[in-house]
Each structure stands twice: as structure tokens, then as C-alpha cells.
Amino acid sequence: MARKGEASAHLYGEPRKFDPKFRGPIHNRRCTDIICCVIFIVVILGYIALGVVAWVHGDPRKVIYPTDSYGQFCGQRDTLNENKTILFYFNILKCASPVVLINLQCPTTQLCVSKCPDRFATYIDVQASYRYRPDQWNYFRQFCKPGFNNPRKSVTQVLRDEDCPSMIIPSRPFLKRCFPDFSTKNGVLTVANQTTFKDGRGKTRNVTDLREAANGINNVLDARSVGMKIFEDYAISWYWILIGLFIAMLLSLLFLVLLRFTAGVLFWIFIFGVIGIIGYGIWHCYWEYDHLKGIPGSDLTVYDIGFQTDFKVYLQLRQTWLAFMIILCGVEVIIILMLIFLRNRIRIAIALLKEGSRAIGYIMSTLFYPIVTFLLIAICISYWAVTAVFLATSGEPVYKVMANQTLCKYANLTCDPETFNTTNVTKLCPGAQCTFAFYGGESLYHKYIFFFQLANAFVFLWLVNFAIALGQCTLAGAFASYYWAYRKPADIPLWPLFSSFGRAIRYHTGSLAFGALILAIVQLIRVILEYLDHKLKGTQNSFTRFLLCCLKCCFWCLEKFLKFINRNAYIMIAIYGKNFCTSAKEAFFLLMRNVVRVAVLDKVTDFLLFLGKILVAGGVGVLAFFFFTQRIPVFAQEVPMLNYYWVPLLTVIIGSYLVAHGFFSVYAMCVDTLFLCFCEDLERNDGSTAKPYFMSASLHRILGKKKLSPKKAAG
């Protein structure tokens, strides 16, 4: 046994020796990982410079407004197109798919209009009747090029120069673009209740010819309709959602305060509360399942009715409630079995949670630190998003030759719209046009836009991970100050949270940036792998798909492992003030020397805190369900009329879970810090008068080794 212990100590490092001068987080520190700190500051300055350059060259209007064939924005203020907010395509039959239309790569003239056509008409018919039907001409010419008003010009020349469209068809705006107004009548595709139309070139065509040019638009329009209804629901119920989130915050705070005094009782109430909520869900699903028995249509399957935009249809099926009931029963059984097999470990975890609750009670300011982390991450996300948009919209209008003839050698070549009519292109390729294609450029900046976007994403990941690391190190320093106070709370330093934050920023920015850099590199590789997987999803190469799947799995595991190592390394940095690599090594070896305690305490604690999040989210969710379904008589008149009551309900449930996660993350960091400090305490000290333990008497009784010194036990 002695040899085994010696081998273990040699493998995982020697236990730390007693230091009589050690009294918690080191205050006489020095800067760590200075080189990484300098690099981090330089990168931030470069990131700011990149944002400035993108702001100078970019123009977000290119995303907001559609662009016509002349590179002008539709609906832009203080321009000729201010009241023309919709893009109209002269000949939509030339467009292969909606993706082509949205990307402005359709080889036909595109014009800004104030409204879409609402009737069938051809230029031939309108020109023939313009003398005695001037109203038809006036209506049709609003879809011609600006300034064109020459009905005497021959039809051949008009269509060749594309002064006017050969035809107009009833359309409706979608994504600020005119698309055919499709509908289905008795299973037949129609446009304005017609199945045929004149193409303006002497042919009568079937409406189905428009299907390829507008493939899938009806489905997208249905999704748009659902999106609008969801937006309306948010608009009229947002304040009730905020009230629900506020209740979740109060419940989370109440839970953390009560946990200090009644951790054991409260956690068992929590556990049985979750079981009770799931049990109620099972009963409700069975009641709905039994209530629908015998109702016509309720025995249909989800497969029979297919996809429906009205989700209430699925709630009229017995199969839906049966599936819900089976899922909830499975979850209930799993939770009960876990509680049975982990009951002894739960008792141990509760003792550590009591100590954590006591620590938070002395340093209440730590509960609100997640707001700082949230603000820092919000700033990073906002800056990244704005920079990405400005980078994506950088460049000048690029015009290309759009030719109807596939053999035209000038097709897709760049051109100048001002001099295009004086070139030979129109003679060699009749009907060719110099049409706006996209925004770009030939400068060095425009050539490397992709790499700038990649750098933008990488620095964003680095900054987000740094903000998280800063929060973890700050909280760890504050809670370590509590643990290493010999007489609690008398020896706890003043303002421990602010002192810890100052130490982390002043001395350990480089170490935190180093840990965040490693994690950001792995996350960027994962993003690239996901992108490659998306691009190669249709490939038939099984080996490539298998290799990508293995790489994605490996890097996912690597990211989880690095997050675990980084978290504990930041705790060691907060305590001892050493560099990142040394702290990560010492934390890893310390955990390996106490691997059983890690499994028993750390993971069981995470599980219990997860149950707490579920109970908070579930309790608020049940309350929101009864409210939005008008089952609370007192507030029945206050409930807004909603298209889908599940929209605010899901928002409240998810939001409540995130609110609880924010508060409980502080608690989890507290428990992890106290656990690492406890392991250090056991290795440094032996409980004698010369080497007293710093742990509290209650924690020592549950986990302890030797007796505490009389002075400590009395305290």
C-alpha cells in the first residue's frame, strides 16, 4: 500500500507542503504570461482597427434594401426610390430559383417599384390600345424603366432594350421583391385564379411554367405568415414575459438565500418538486389522451396530417399526447433511479452546498457578477455582428454582362453601364445587358474580405472566452478569500469580490487570455468542421463523412476537457497567482490525487443544481401555462389574445432556465472553488495546532480526516 501511494504521488505530483505564512489568495503578486498579455492587447487594437476600416468601406443599407439593376437602393430615403420599396423583375421566367432572385443574379432587368402588379397584361396588348385606353398604358409604364413614355416605339426594340417588361403577372411582395401570387384551387396551381397567361411574345403559357422560377415560395410564405403571427404575439405579451422572468429571478434568489439555512430539506423538496411537476405532466397528458377518445379525427397520426403551420392541430391528436406521456414517464423513471443509487452521495454534496451557501451569504455581491459577464459578452456579440455586417457590405457595385445567349463570350464579364451601349457587346450578343451583380472590388482589402471575416470570428471567440475566464477567476478569488479565512467571517478581507477582480485584471490578464486563446482555437476548428460538414452533406463519399464525424466528435471532447481544465486552472491562478500552464498542471494533478472526491462531490453537485434550474423553470412554466391559457380566474381578463400561446410560454420557460442558470453558475463556481481549497487544505495541513485546518467544523465532520484543533473547533 505504501508503494502504491508513493507511485501515485510520483505520477500525479507531490502533495503541497505546509506553509505557515499561507493565508489564502496571495496578495503580493506579479504579472503572469506577459507575452500573451501584450499579444492580446495588440489583437484588441487590431480588432478595433478592423472595425473602423469595415465601417469606412461597408454600407448596411445593402442588407436592408434590395438593389435594382443600376445599383440603387429601393426605399432609401432622400432618393428617387424613396417611395419605391419593392424590387420588380422584368421576366421572372429567366430566374431559375428563389435563391437566384434573392442574390440578385437573375439575368433580367430589375426595377424598384412602389407596388407589385395586380393583374395580367402584356406590352403588345397595352401598346395596341394605348390611344383609347390610356389608363392601361399609364398603369403598365410604372413597371418600365424610369422616364420611358414612348408607346410608339416598336415592340421588338422595346423588348430588345428591355425598356418595359413583355408581361406583368399578379404578384405579392416577399422579402421586398415581387413574386407570383400563387394559389391552389382544387389541387391545381393558379395565379389570380387563372391557369394560363400570355408571355408577351405571342405564346400562351401554363402557370406551371412559373413553378421553377418560384420553386418553394409558397412554403416560405407560409413560414413567413407564422413568423408574423409570432412577432405579433411577442408585441402584445412582452411585458407578461418580463414579469415571468422577474418571478424566476426572485425564485432563484429565494432559493439561494434559503439554501444557507435549510440546504438538505430544501434540496429534497426540490427533488420531489421536480418529480411532482413531471408527475402532473404525465397525468395531464393522460387526461388529454383519454379526453380525445372517440372524437372524430383524433386517432389520426402525425404522419397522416403532415406538416401544419397551425400547431394546435397536433394537440387534437391522441398520438401527440401519448408521445408526451411516454417521454415524461421515461424522464420520471430515470430521475427516480438516479436518486436511489446516488442517495448517499447526495448527502455528501448537500454538506458542501451548505458551506457554499454560507460563503455566498457573506459575499452577496457575487450573485450579481453574472450581469458583468453578460454585459461583456453582449458587447462582444454586438461588435462582432456589426463588424461582420459592415465587412459583408464592403465594396463598390460590380456590373456584369447578362446575356440571354449561352454562347455569348462576354457573359458574366465585368462591364461599365455608362459606356456599355457604345461597345460591340450588344451587337455580338443581342439582348445583352450590363446589370448590377454584387458588391465587391479589386483592391487588396476587398480580396481578403473572407480572411477578415475569419479573423473577426476568431477574435470574437477569444474575447467571449476571456470574459468568461475573467468571471470565473474573479469569483474563485472571492470564494477562496472566504475559505482561507481562519476565523469566519472576521478574517474575510474587505470587498473580496472587487479585490479579486482587480487582481485578475492587473496581474493575470495574460494568463486568462492564454487559456481563452487555446479554447478559441479549438472552437474555431469546430466551426470550420461544421461548415465543411454542411457543404459536403450531399456528397456520396462515405469515408469523408465518417472522417468529418470523427473529427467533430474528437474536437467536441477536447473542448469539454479544456473547459474543465481552464476552470480549475483559473481557481489556482486566483489562489496562488501563478501562470496559466503551472496553474493548469497543479490543478490537474490535485484533481487526479482526489479523483474519487471529484466524482462524488463535483458532479453530484452539478446534478443537483441542474434539478434546481429545472424546478425554477418548470414552476414558472406551469404558472405561465395556466396564465396564458386563461385558467387563472383572477387574471382571465388580463390575458392578451394570442395566435400561439406557446410562443410566450416557451420564451418564459427558456428565459427562466437561463436566469436560474446565471445565479446557479455563481453557486457552482463557489462549490468548485471550495472543493479545490478543501483538497489543498487536506494536503497542506493535518488539523494539529501547528498545522490547523481552514475548513469549517461542519464540512470537516462530513468529509474530514483528523480532528480540528481545539481553537478551530470552538470557533
Side-chain angles (χ1 to χ4, degrees), residues 117 119-144 148-155 158-159 164-169 198-201:
R119 66 193 70 172
F120 284 106
T122 64
Y123 182 79
I124 296 176
D125 295 338
V126 171
Q127 186 199 47
S129 61
Y130 82 93
R131 295 181 181 276
Y132 54 90
R133 297 290 299 274
D135 56 325
Q136 290 189 3
W137 169 254
N138 290 330
Y139 179 81
F140 194 93
R141 75 183 183 91
Q142 66 179 318
F143 303 105
C144 299
F148 180 80
N149 190 17
N150 185 12
R152 297 181 181 85
K153 188 175 181 178
S154 67
V155 174
V158 169
L159 298 183
C164 289
S166 62
M167 62 174 179
I168 58 174
I169 58 177
K198 295 180 180 179
D199 66 356
R201 299 178 184 272

Short mmCIF file of all heavy atoms in Angstrom, two decimals, residues 117 119-144 148-155 158-159 164-169 198-201:
data_model
loop_
_atom_site.label_atom_id
_atom_site.label_comp_id
_atom_site.label_asym_id
_atom_site.label_seq_id
_atom_site.Cartn_x
_atom_site.Cartn_y
_atom_site.Cartn_z
N PRO A 117 -47.46 44.29 -59.44
CA PRO A 117 -48.62 44.22 -60.34
C PRO A 117 -49.76 43.42 -59.71
O PRO A 117 -49.53 42.47 -58.96
CB PRO A 117 -48.06 43.51 -61.58
CG PRO A 117 -46.57 43.65 -61.48
CD PRO A 117 -46.25 43.70 -60.03
N ARG A 119 -52.48 42.47 -61.85
CA ARG A 119 -53.27 41.97 -62.98
C ARG A 119 -52.34 41.37 -64.03
O ARG A 119 -51.14 41.61 -64.03
CB ARG A 119 -54.08 43.10 -63.59
CG ARG A 119 -53.24 44.18 -64.26
CD ARG A 119 -54.01 45.43 -64.57
NE ARG A 119 -54.36 46.16 -63.35
CZ ARG A 119 -54.91 47.38 -63.36
NH1 ARG A 119 -55.20 47.98 -64.51
NH2 ARG A 119 -55.19 47.99 -62.22
N PHE A 120 -52.95 40.59 -64.95
CA PHE A 120 -52.23 40.11 -66.12
C PHE A 120 -52.27 41.18 -67.21
O PHE A 120 -53.30 41.81 -67.45
CB PHE A 120 -52.87 38.83 -66.67
CG PHE A 120 -52.56 37.60 -65.86
CD1 PHE A 120 -53.53 37.04 -65.04
CD2 PHE A 120 -51.32 37.00 -65.93
CE1 PHE A 120 -53.26 35.91 -64.31
CE2 PHE A 120 -51.04 35.87 -65.20
CZ PHE A 120 -52.01 35.31 -64.38
N ALA A 121 -51.16 41.40 -67.88
CA ALA A 121 -51.11 42.32 -69.01
C ALA A 121 -49.83 42.06 -69.79
O ALA A 121 -48.83 41.62 -69.23
CB ALA A 121 -51.15 43.77 -68.54
N THR A 122 -49.88 42.33 -71.10
CA THR A 122 -48.69 42.21 -71.95
C THR A 122 -48.43 43.55 -72.60
O THR A 122 -49.35 44.36 -72.83
CB THR A 122 -48.87 41.14 -73.02
OG1 THR A 122 -49.93 41.53 -73.91
CG2 THR A 122 -49.19 39.78 -72.40
N TYR A 123 -47.17 43.79 -72.94
CA TYR A 123 -46.82 45.07 -73.56
C TYR A 123 -47.47 45.20 -74.93
O TYR A 123 -47.90 46.29 -75.34
CB TYR A 123 -45.30 45.19 -73.69
CG TYR A 123 -44.88 46.51 -74.28
CD1 TYR A 123 -44.85 47.66 -73.51
CD2 TYR A 123 -44.55 46.62 -75.63
CE1 TYR A 123 -44.49 48.89 -74.05
CE2 TYR A 123 -44.20 47.84 -76.19
CZ TYR A 123 -44.16 48.97 -75.39
OH TYR A 123 -43.82 50.18 -75.93
N ILE A 124 -47.58 44.06 -75.66
CA ILE A 124 -48.19 44.10 -77.00
C ILE A 124 -49.63 44.60 -76.91
O ILE A 124 -50.06 45.48 -77.68
CB ILE A 124 -48.14 42.70 -77.64
CG1 ILE A 124 -46.68 42.28 -77.87
CG2 ILE A 124 -48.91 42.69 -78.95
CD1 ILE A 124 -46.54 40.86 -78.42
N ASP A 125 -50.41 44.05 -75.98
CA ASP A 125 -51.81 44.45 -75.85
C ASP A 125 -51.93 45.89 -75.38
O ASP A 125 -52.79 46.65 -75.86
CB ASP A 125 -52.53 43.52 -74.87
CG ASP A 125 -52.60 42.09 -75.39
OD1 ASP A 125 -52.49 41.91 -76.62
OD2 ASP A 125 -52.76 41.17 -74.56
N VAL A 126 -51.09 46.29 -74.42
CA VAL A 126 -51.18 47.65 -73.89
C VAL A 126 -50.81 48.68 -74.95
O VAL A 126 -51.44 49.72 -75.09
CB VAL A 126 -50.29 47.79 -72.65
CG1 VAL A 126 -50.19 49.25 -72.22
CG2 VAL A 126 -50.83 46.96 -71.50
N GLN A 127 -49.76 48.36 -75.75
CA GLN A 127 -49.35 49.31 -76.79
C GLN A 127 -50.43 49.44 -77.87
O GLN A 127 -50.68 50.53 -78.39
CB GLN A 127 -48.04 48.85 -77.43
CG GLN A 127 -47.47 49.86 -78.42
CD GLN A 127 -46.46 49.25 -79.37
OE1 GLN A 127 -46.72 48.19 -79.94
NE2 GLN A 127 -45.34 49.93 -79.54
N ALA A 128 -51.09 48.32 -78.19
CA ALA A 128 -52.11 48.35 -79.23
C ALA A 128 -53.33 49.17 -78.82
O ALA A 128 -54.04 49.70 -79.68
CB ALA A 128 -52.53 46.93 -79.59
N SER A 129 -53.57 49.32 -77.51
CA SER A 129 -54.78 50.00 -77.06
C SER A 129 -54.48 51.29 -76.30
O SER A 129 -55.37 51.81 -75.64
CB SER A 129 -55.59 49.06 -76.16
OG SER A 129 -54.84 48.69 -75.02
N TYR A 130 -53.24 51.81 -76.41
CA TYR A 130 -52.91 52.97 -75.58
C TYR A 130 -53.67 54.22 -76.00
O TYR A 130 -53.87 55.13 -75.20
CB TYR A 130 -51.40 53.22 -75.62
CG TYR A 130 -50.91 53.98 -76.82
CD1 TYR A 130 -50.77 55.37 -76.77
CD2 TYR A 130 -50.59 53.32 -78.00
CE1 TYR A 130 -50.31 56.07 -77.87
CE2 TYR A 130 -50.14 54.01 -79.10
CZ TYR A 130 -50.00 55.39 -79.04
OH TYR A 130 -49.56 56.09 -80.13
N ARG A 131 -54.12 54.30 -77.27
CA ARG A 131 -54.82 55.50 -77.73
C ARG A 131 -56.19 55.64 -77.07
O ARG A 131 -56.58 56.73 -76.65
CB ARG A 131 -54.96 55.49 -79.25
CG ARG A 131 -53.62 55.58 -79.99
CD ARG A 131 -53.85 55.57 -81.50
NE ARG A 131 -52.59 55.62 -82.24
CZ ARG A 131 -51.92 56.74 -82.53
NH1 ARG A 131 -52.42 57.90 -82.15
NH2 ARG A 131 -50.79 56.69 -83.21
N TYR A 132 -56.94 54.54 -77.03
CA TYR A 132 -58.29 54.62 -76.45
C TYR A 132 -58.37 54.04 -75.04
O TYR A 132 -59.43 54.09 -74.42
CB TYR A 132 -59.30 53.92 -77.38
CG TYR A 132 -58.95 52.50 -77.72
CD1 TYR A 132 -59.38 51.44 -76.94
CD2 TYR A 132 -58.20 52.21 -78.87
CE1 TYR A 132 -59.07 50.14 -77.26
CE2 TYR A 132 -57.88 50.90 -79.20
CZ TYR A 132 -58.31 49.87 -78.39
OH TYR A 132 -57.99 48.58 -78.72
N ARG A 133 -57.28 53.47 -74.54
CA ARG A 133 -57.24 53.00 -73.15
C ARG A 133 -55.97 53.53 -72.47
O ARG A 133 -55.07 52.77 -72.09
CB ARG A 133 -57.27 51.47 -73.08
CG ARG A 133 -58.54 50.83 -73.64
CD ARG A 133 -59.73 51.10 -72.73
NE ARG A 133 -59.53 50.56 -71.40
CZ ARG A 133 -59.83 49.31 -71.06
NH1 ARG A 133 -60.31 48.48 -71.97
NH2 ARG A 133 -59.65 48.90 -69.83
N PRO A 134 -55.87 54.86 -72.32
CA PRO A 134 -54.63 55.43 -71.75
C PRO A 134 -54.40 54.99 -70.30
O PRO A 134 -53.28 55.00 -69.83
CB PRO A 134 -54.86 56.94 -71.85
CG PRO A 134 -56.34 57.10 -71.89
CD PRO A 134 -56.86 55.90 -72.63
N ASP A 135 -55.47 54.64 -69.59
CA ASP A 135 -55.30 54.23 -68.21
C ASP A 135 -54.48 52.94 -68.11
O ASP A 135 -53.67 52.78 -67.19
CB ASP A 135 -56.66 54.04 -67.54
CG ASP A 135 -57.54 53.05 -68.29
OD1 ASP A 135 -57.46 53.01 -69.54
OD2 ASP A 135 -58.29 52.30 -67.63
N GLN A 136 -54.68 52.02 -69.07
CA GLN A 136 -53.89 50.79 -69.07
C GLN A 136 -52.42 51.08 -69.33
O GLN A 136 -51.54 50.48 -68.72
CB GLN A 136 -54.43 49.80 -70.11
CG GLN A 136 -55.79 49.22 -69.77
CD GLN A 136 -56.18 48.10 -70.71
OE1 GLN A 136 -55.42 47.72 -71.60
NE2 GLN A 136 -57.39 47.56 -70.52
N TRP A 137 -52.15 52.01 -70.24
CA TRP A 137 -50.77 52.38 -70.53
C TRP A 137 -50.11 53.03 -69.31
O TRP A 137 -48.97 52.71 -68.96
CB TRP A 137 -50.70 53.30 -71.73
CG TRP A 137 -49.33 53.92 -71.91
CD1 TRP A 137 -48.96 55.20 -71.65
CD2 TRP A 137 -48.16 53.24 -72.34
NE1 TRP A 137 -47.63 55.39 -71.90
CE2 TRP A 137 -47.11 54.19 -72.33
CE3 TRP A 137 -47.89 51.93 -72.75
CZ2 TRP A 137 -45.81 53.87 -72.71
CZ3 TRP A 137 -46.60 51.63 -73.13
CH2 TRP A 137 -45.57 52.58 -73.10
N ASN A 138 -50.84 53.92 -68.67
CA ASN A 138 -50.28 54.60 -67.50
C ASN A 138 -49.99 53.61 -66.36
O ASN A 138 -49.02 53.78 -65.62
CB ASN A 138 -51.24 55.68 -67.01
CG ASN A 138 -51.32 56.85 -67.98
OD1 ASN A 138 -50.35 57.14 -68.68
ND2 ASN A 138 -52.47 57.51 -68.03
N TYR A 139 -50.84 52.59 -66.24
CA TYR A 139 -50.59 51.58 -65.21
C TYR A 139 -49.38 50.73 -65.58
O TYR A 139 -48.51 50.45 -64.73
CB TYR A 139 -51.82 50.69 -65.03
CG TYR A 139 -51.63 49.60 -64.00
CD1 TYR A 139 -51.77 49.87 -62.64
CD2 TYR A 139 -51.26 48.30 -64.39
CE1 TYR A 139 -51.57 48.88 -61.69
CE2 TYR A 139 -51.06 47.31 -63.44
CZ TYR A 139 -51.22 47.60 -62.09
OH TYR A 139 -51.00 46.62 -61.15
N PHE A 140 -49.29 50.33 -66.85
CA PHE A 140 -48.23 49.42 -67.27
C PHE A 140 -46.86 50.09 -67.22
O PHE A 140 -45.86 49.46 -66.84
CB PHE A 140 -48.51 48.89 -68.69
CG PHE A 140 -47.67 47.71 -69.07
CD1 PHE A 140 -48.11 46.42 -68.88
CD2 PHE A 140 -46.40 47.88 -69.63
CE1 PHE A 140 -47.34 45.33 -69.23
CE2 PHE A 140 -45.62 46.81 -69.99
CZ PHE A 140 -46.09 45.51 -69.78
N ARG A 141 -46.79 51.37 -67.59
CA ARG A 141 -45.48 52.01 -67.73
C ARG A 141 -44.81 52.30 -66.38
O ARG A 141 -43.64 52.64 -66.35
CB ARG A 141 -45.59 53.29 -68.55
CG ARG A 141 -46.20 54.48 -67.84
CD ARG A 141 -46.32 55.64 -68.81
NE ARG A 141 -46.83 56.84 -68.15
CZ ARG A 141 -46.06 57.78 -67.60
NH1 ARG A 141 -44.74 57.65 -67.63
NH2 ARG A 141 -46.60 58.85 -67.04
N GLN A 142 -45.56 52.14 -65.28
CA GLN A 142 -44.89 52.29 -63.98
C GLN A 142 -43.95 51.12 -63.69
O GLN A 142 -43.11 51.19 -62.78
CB GLN A 142 -45.92 52.42 -62.87
CG GLN A 142 -46.77 51.18 -62.63
CD GLN A 142 -47.77 51.37 -61.49
OE1 GLN A 142 -47.45 51.94 -60.46
NE2 GLN A 142 -49.00 50.90 -61.71
N PHE A 143 -44.07 50.06 -64.52
CA PHE A 143 -43.15 48.93 -64.39
C PHE A 143 -42.09 48.95 -65.49
O PHE A 143 -41.36 47.97 -65.66
CB PHE A 143 -43.93 47.61 -64.43
CG PHE A 143 -44.99 47.51 -63.37
CD1 PHE A 143 -46.33 47.65 -63.67
CD2 PHE A 143 -44.63 47.31 -62.04
CE1 PHE A 143 -47.30 47.58 -62.69
CE2 PHE A 143 -45.60 47.24 -61.05
CZ PHE A 143 -46.94 47.38 -61.37
N CYS A 144 -42.04 50.06 -66.25
CA CYS A 144 -40.99 50.25 -67.25
C CYS A 144 -39.84 51.04 -66.63
O CYS A 144 -39.92 51.52 -65.50
CB CYS A 144 -41.55 51.00 -68.46
SG CYS A 144 -42.90 50.13 -69.31
N PHE A 148 -39.33 56.26 -69.32
CA PHE A 148 -39.80 55.73 -70.61
C PHE A 148 -41.28 56.01 -70.77
O PHE A 148 -42.09 55.61 -69.95
CB PHE A 148 -39.53 54.23 -70.70
CG PHE A 148 -39.99 53.63 -72.00
CD1 PHE A 148 -39.20 53.76 -73.14
CD2 PHE A 148 -41.20 52.96 -72.10
CE1 PHE A 148 -39.62 53.22 -74.35
CE2 PHE A 148 -41.62 52.42 -73.30
CZ PHE A 148 -40.83 52.55 -74.43
N ASN A 149 -41.63 56.69 -71.87
CA ASN A 149 -43.04 57.00 -72.16
C ASN A 149 -43.21 57.17 -73.66
O ASN A 149 -43.63 58.20 -74.16
CB ASN A 149 -43.47 58.27 -71.42
CG ASN A 149 -44.98 58.49 -71.48
OD1 ASN A 149 -45.74 57.58 -71.80
ND2 ASN A 149 -45.41 59.71 -71.19
N ASN A 150 -42.82 56.12 -74.40
CA ASN A 150 -42.87 56.17 -75.86
C ASN A 150 -43.58 54.93 -76.38
O ASN A 150 -42.95 53.96 -76.80
CB ASN A 150 -41.45 56.25 -76.42
CG ASN A 150 -41.45 56.41 -77.93
OD1 ASN A 150 -42.49 56.68 -78.54
ND2 ASN A 150 -40.29 56.23 -78.54
N PRO A 151 -44.91 54.94 -76.34
CA PRO A 151 -45.65 53.76 -76.80
C PRO A 151 -45.54 53.54 -78.31
O PRO A 151 -45.93 52.47 -78.80
CB PRO A 151 -47.10 54.07 -76.40
CG PRO A 151 -47.15 55.55 -76.32
CD PRO A 151 -45.81 56.00 -75.86
N ARG A 152 -44.98 54.53 -79.04
CA ARG A 152 -44.84 54.36 -80.49
C ARG A 152 -43.61 53.54 -80.86
O ARG A 152 -43.47 53.10 -81.99
CB ARG A 152 -44.76 55.74 -81.17
CG ARG A 152 -46.02 56.58 -81.00
CD ARG A 152 -45.88 57.91 -81.71
NE ARG A 152 -47.07 58.74 -81.55
CZ ARG A 152 -47.27 59.53 -80.51
NH1 ARG A 152 -46.35 59.59 -79.54
NH2 ARG A 152 -48.37 60.23 -80.42
N LYS A 153 -42.70 53.38 -79.93
CA LYS A 153 -41.51 52.59 -80.21
C LYS A 153 -41.91 51.15 -80.49
O LYS A 153 -42.78 50.59 -79.82
CB LYS A 153 -40.55 52.65 -79.02
CG LYS A 153 -39.19 52.02 -79.27
CD LYS A 153 -38.27 52.24 -78.06
CE LYS A 153 -36.90 51.62 -78.31
NZ LYS A 153 -35.96 51.86 -77.18
N SER A 154 -41.28 50.53 -81.48
CA SER A 154 -41.68 49.19 -81.89
C SER A 154 -41.50 48.20 -80.75
O SER A 154 -40.60 48.34 -79.91
CB SER A 154 -40.86 48.74 -83.10
OG SER A 154 -39.50 48.57 -82.73
N VAL A 155 -42.36 47.19 -80.75
CA VAL A 155 -42.32 46.18 -79.71
C VAL A 155 -40.97 45.46 -79.69
O VAL A 155 -40.40 45.18 -78.64
CB VAL A 155 -43.47 45.17 -79.88
CG1 VAL A 155 -43.35 44.04 -78.87
CG2 VAL A 155 -44.81 45.87 -79.75
N VAL A 158 -38.39 47.66 -78.01
CA VAL A 158 -38.66 47.80 -76.57
C VAL A 158 -38.21 46.55 -75.82
O VAL A 158 -37.56 46.63 -74.78
CB VAL A 158 -40.16 48.06 -76.32
CG1 VAL A 158 -40.49 47.93 -74.84
CG2 VAL A 158 -40.53 49.44 -76.82
N LEU A 159 -38.54 45.37 -76.38
CA LEU A 159 -38.17 44.13 -75.70
C LEU A 159 -36.67 43.87 -75.80
O LEU A 159 -36.07 43.31 -74.88
CB LEU A 159 -38.94 42.96 -76.31
CG LEU A 159 -40.47 43.04 -76.16
CD1 LEU A 159 -41.13 41.79 -76.73
CD2 LEU A 159 -40.87 43.22 -74.70
N CYS A 164 -39.33 47.99 -71.23
CA CYS A 164 -40.51 47.57 -70.47
C CYS A 164 -40.53 46.04 -70.41
O CYS A 164 -39.94 45.37 -71.27
CB CYS A 164 -41.80 48.06 -71.13
SG CYS A 164 -42.07 49.83 -71.02
N PRO A 165 -41.21 45.48 -69.44
CA PRO A 165 -41.36 44.02 -69.41
C PRO A 165 -42.31 43.56 -70.51
O PRO A 165 -43.21 44.30 -70.92
CB PRO A 165 -41.92 43.76 -68.02
CG PRO A 165 -42.64 45.01 -67.65
CD PRO A 165 -41.86 46.13 -68.27
N SER A 166 -42.11 42.37 -70.99
CA SER A 166 -43.01 41.85 -72.02
C SER A 166 -44.37 41.51 -71.44
O SER A 166 -45.37 41.49 -72.16
CB SER A 166 -42.40 40.60 -72.67
OG SER A 166 -42.23 39.58 -71.68
N MET A 167 -44.41 41.28 -70.13
CA MET A 167 -45.66 40.93 -69.46
C MET A 167 -45.55 41.31 -68.00
O MET A 167 -44.47 41.48 -67.45
CB MET A 167 -45.93 39.43 -69.57
CG MET A 167 -44.84 38.63 -68.88
SD MET A 167 -45.11 36.88 -68.77
CE MET A 167 -43.61 36.37 -67.92
N ILE A 168 -46.70 41.45 -67.36
CA ILE A 168 -46.77 41.55 -65.91
C ILE A 168 -47.80 40.54 -65.44
O ILE A 168 -48.78 40.24 -66.14
CB ILE A 168 -47.14 42.97 -65.42
CG1 ILE A 168 -48.48 43.41 -66.01
CG2 ILE A 168 -46.05 43.96 -65.76
CD1 ILE A 168 -48.97 44.75 -65.46
N ILE A 169 -47.56 39.98 -64.26
CA ILE A 169 -48.48 38.99 -63.70
C ILE A 169 -48.81 39.38 -62.27
O ILE A 169 -48.02 40.06 -61.61
CB ILE A 169 -47.87 37.57 -63.73
CG1 ILE A 169 -46.55 37.55 -62.96
CG2 ILE A 169 -47.66 37.09 -65.15
CD1 ILE A 169 -45.91 36.18 -62.89
N LYS A 198 -50.46 34.96 -71.03
CA LYS A 198 -49.71 35.33 -72.23
C LYS A 198 -48.33 35.83 -71.81
O LYS A 198 -48.22 36.62 -70.89
CB LYS A 198 -50.45 36.43 -73.00
CG LYS A 198 -51.80 35.99 -73.55
CD LYS A 198 -52.47 37.13 -74.30
CE LYS A 198 -53.82 36.71 -74.86
NZ LYS A 198 -54.48 37.84 -75.57
N ASP A 199 -47.29 35.36 -72.52
CA ASP A 199 -45.94 35.74 -72.14
C ASP A 199 -45.47 37.02 -72.81
O ASP A 199 -44.33 37.44 -72.62
CB ASP A 199 -44.95 34.61 -72.44
CG ASP A 199 -44.81 34.33 -73.93
OD1 ASP A 199 -45.53 34.96 -74.73
OD2 ASP A 199 -43.96 33.49 -74.28
N GLY A 200 -46.35 37.67 -73.63
CA GLY A 200 -45.97 38.93 -74.27
C GLY A 200 -45.13 38.75 -75.51
O GLY A 200 -44.69 39.73 -76.12
N ARG A 201 -44.88 37.50 -75.89
CA ARG A 201 -44.11 37.21 -77.10
C ARG A 201 -44.88 36.31 -78.05
O ARG A 201 -44.29 35.57 -78.83
CB ARG A 201 -42.78 36.57 -76.73
CG ARG A 201 -41.91 37.48 -75.85
CD ARG A 201 -40.61 36.81 -75.45
NE ARG A 201 -39.85 37.66 -74.55
CZ ARG A 201 -38.98 38.59 -74.93
NH1 ARG A 201 -38.78 38.80 -76.22
NH2 ARG A 201 -38.33 39.31 -74.03
#
